[in-house]
DNA sequence: TGATACCGAACGAACGTTCGATCGGACAAT
DNA sequence: ATTGTCCGATCGAACGTTCGTTCGGTATCA
């Protein structure tokens, strides 16, 4: 689906051969532009200029602007998911799994802020087949996380019956909103923020239980 | 800043006179269109058609498309903020204030989903003066909420030192992400979801404390 | 008589996309 | 070693569409 380098033989996913190196570079630049001004405002002319290509030259690598966005999102979600699966390997305790999930997500976010912003903010900019395909990966990421949340929830003597979907989505809300306010260069390090989110999610703000008012 | 109805005398903020009634209706329709397809894709022609006006007729009410978006956001943030201030009146206990804040936000969200979606998703579509003005109201809403969070935090014997900004933004993350997944017609009622978010924020998922792995 | 509400038609700009041509290296035939 | 041929990579220029906005005009009503 991805490869087909120039030259003779096999081409790995990574930038082997000049074709893959070039398309990776263009996607990287395009990701930055889209993250900065949004998908609709990111014209192909601006992307071309930023990537050091001509306008028509872009269409040698993508059928259309939408396919370009699709590639960005698909690759990013794929990396995110595989990254999580890998780090989850061998971790059994549900609470530990949750820690791994949040830290992994946060780490990927800090290292690829533009890409994750595009993935969080530009979800509905795809349609049809492209939309369905990214949706499928997102779903997988969601199910994986939800499983962890459920196991933590089951192991805990949680007083109020929390809706698992609400809880999982609240966790994603905290994580997916990061791109709106978090700046790794200002404020705390990604690792610290990740730990704080884990702590908040597990134990809350730590308030005394509230009884109904008189 | 808003009023200036036709006719002779005063005009309240609400739809007194046919001018205010008309502009309110148009803004309402425009909000729906923008929420559905996004600001950039929402052409003035489509908004005009949906509002039962001609394209040129829209410009009798707005200087530009951007001003239209500004009005939508400014009014919505204003209502949201005033609504919260009002409901907070007379409530002293920090934990109670937090409950009021989340329930108030959730209630407003459920009653005005399109408007809040536009406010959450289209934050960067404004520029210059219009952007600064909406930013100022958002800041006020943030400060109000952060004050509550800090008071709850101070009153609690919270084990890990939580960063107040991180915690407040995580709360906003949960709330502002709602438009991505929550459907009042499916799943639990707004009141129940609000209570679950409050519970999650105050006490977390309710897990046993995790010690460092061996 | 004049202001308000509204409209059809057009303008200029920007957009995504396409087309035809050129350049340069790989490779088989001479 | 030279030639001829092909193909991937790249480009300038253009096409058709859609966009936000403007302009001149027409009803309506105080």
């Amino acid at each position: 689906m991805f490869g087909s380098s120039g030259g003779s033989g096999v081409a790995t996913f990574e930038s082997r051969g000049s074709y893959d190196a070039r398309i990776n570079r263009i996607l990287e630049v395009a990701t930055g532009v889209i993250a900065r001004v949004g998908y609709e405002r990111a014209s192909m002319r601006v992307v071309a200029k930023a990537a050091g290509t001509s306008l028509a030259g872009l269409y040698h690598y993508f059928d259309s602007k939408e396919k370009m966005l699709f590639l960005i999102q698909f690759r990013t979600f794929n990396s995110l998911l595989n990254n999580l699966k890998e780090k989850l390997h061998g971790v059994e305790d549900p609470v530990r799994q949750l820690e791994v999930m949040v830290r992994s997500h946060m780490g990927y976010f800090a290292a690829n802020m533009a890409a994750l912003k595009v993935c969080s903010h530009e979800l509905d900019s795809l349609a049809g087949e492209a939309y369905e395909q990214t949706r499928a990966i997102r779903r997988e990421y969601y199910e994986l996380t939800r499983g962890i949340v459920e196991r933590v929830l089951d192991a805990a003597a949680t007083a109020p019956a929390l809706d698992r979907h609400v809880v999982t989505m609240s966790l994603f809300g905290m994580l997916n909103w990061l791109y709106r306010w978090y700046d790794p260069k200002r404020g705390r390090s990604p690792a610290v923020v990740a730990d704080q989110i884990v702590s908040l999610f597990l134990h809350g703000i730590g308030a005394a239980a509230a009884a109904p008012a008189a």
Side-chain angles (χ1 to χ4, degrees), chain A:
Chain A
M1 177 167 198
F2 286 132
S4 122
S5 85
S8 50
V10 257
T12 65
F13 181 88
E14 272 309 317
S15 49
R16 173 89 92 91
S18 77
Y19 177 91
D20 286 350
R22 191 94 184 93
I23 197 176
N24 285 341
R25 174 65 186 150
I26 294 178
L27 283 177
E28 191 181 316
V29 168
T31 302
V33 174
I34 296 176
R36 198 166 60 250
V37 304
Y39 173 69
E40 295 292 338
R41 293 177 120 107
S43 75
M44 295 298 267
R45 283 166 177 83
V46 169
V47 171
K49 191 87 71 181
T53 325
S54 70
L55 174 60
L58 281 185
Y59 286 84
H60 182 67
Y61 295 94
F62 318 109
D63 290 345
S64 67
K65 185 185 180 187
E66 195 179 355
K67 275 283 203 306
M68 187 180 78
L69 176 62
F70 168 74
L71 275 184
I72 293 173
Q73 294 200 350
F74 191 85
R75 287 175 173 217
T76 302
F77 279 132
N78 239 0
S79 299
L80 192 62
L81 180 60
N82 290 333
N83 194 40
L84 175 56
K85 279 179 177 170
E86 184 183 327
K87 296 209 171 155
L88 233 32
H89 219 76
V91 181
E92 304 290 346
D93 179 44
V95 172
R96 287 273 133 63
Q97 290 180 331
L98 187 83
E99 287 173 2
V100 168
M101 139 63 180
V102 174
R103 285 175 187 158
S104 170
H105 188 104
M106 187 78 199
Y108 194 92
F109 171 79
N112 305 81
M113 288 196 40
L116 270 198
K117 173 168 182 178
V118 171
C119 282
S120 291
H121 192 259
E122 235 65 64
L123 283 177
D124 301 326
S125 298
L126 293 178
E129 178 67 19
Y131 177 79
E132 294 305 328
Q133 248 176 291
T134 58
R135 202 169 94 109
I137 309 192
R138 279 190 281 135
R139 177 105 75 182
E140 200 176 341
Y141 195 66
Y142 166 83
E143 308 270 8
L144 193 55
T145 302
R146 172 162 170 154
I148 296 173
V149 168
E150 285 185 340
R151 259 166 276 136
V152 175
L153 225 34
D154 285 341
T158 161
L162 293 175
D163 183 300
R164 281 138 159 79
H165 188 232
V166 172
V167 169
T168 306
M169 278 315 201
S170 294
L171 177 59
F172 276 120
M174 295 190 250
L175 295 177
N176 289 333
W177 198 246
L178 281 168
Y179 79 88
R180 287 277 190 201
W181 62 273
Y182 181 62
D183 180 3
K185 295 192 298 290
R186 276 178 164 4
R188 300 174 137 69
S189 76
V192 169
V193 173
D195 285 348
Q196 299 221 352
I197 289 179
V198 169
S199 173
L200 181 61
F201 188 73
L202 286 178
H203 312 111
I205 228 179

